[in-house]
């Protein structure tokens, strides 16, 4: 099972990858939205913002997020690490229910470019 530190490192790596992206991926992540990433098996939530094509983690809280973020992710720590490392494809994990993504319709349309 992935640790809190491994999950935080995975989010940092994902942020770096998004910041270095080009084309459609860059336009998909060029949002300014509140963001939460719930790691279900560790019962923690990383709370932050997607801003300037980066994930800025502002806090780590126990349990579910205290407020509803505009973009919400939920998955196990192992799935988070595997996705960022390229071992698990996001679309496949999302389609099978291993990863949950909730956002407004406009954001989902933009974020689909990441798939």
């Amino acid at each position: 099972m992935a640790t809190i530190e491994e999950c935080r490192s995975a989010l940092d790596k994902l942020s770096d990858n998004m910041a270095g992206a080009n084309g459609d991926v860059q336009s998909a992540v060029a949002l300014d939205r509140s963001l939460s990433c719930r790691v279900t098996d560790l019962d923690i939530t990383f709370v932050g913002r997607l801003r300037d094509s980066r994930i800025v983690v502002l806090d780590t809280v126990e349990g579910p997020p205290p407020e509803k973020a505009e973009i919400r992710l939920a998955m196990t720590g192992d799935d988070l690490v595997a996705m960022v490392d390229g071992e698990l494809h996001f679309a496949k994990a999302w389609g099978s229910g291993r990863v949950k993504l909730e956002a407004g319709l406009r954001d989902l349309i933009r974020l689909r470019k990441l798939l």
Side-chain angles (χ1 to χ4, degrees), residues 5 25 36 41 47 52 57 66 69-70 91 100-101 104-105 107-108 112:
E5 293 78 19
V25 173
S36 66
D41 58 333
V47 179
D52 299 325
V57 176
E70 293 167 295
K100 294 183 181 10
L101 169 65
L105 184 58
D107 290 338
L108 286 172
R112 72 177 161 75

Side-chain angles (χ1 to χ4, degrees), residues 22-37:
N22 296 312
D24 285 345
V25 173
Q26 179 63 35
S27 68
V29 296
L31 300 168
D32 185 4
R33 302 285 189 272
S34 59
L35 175 76
S36 66
C37 180

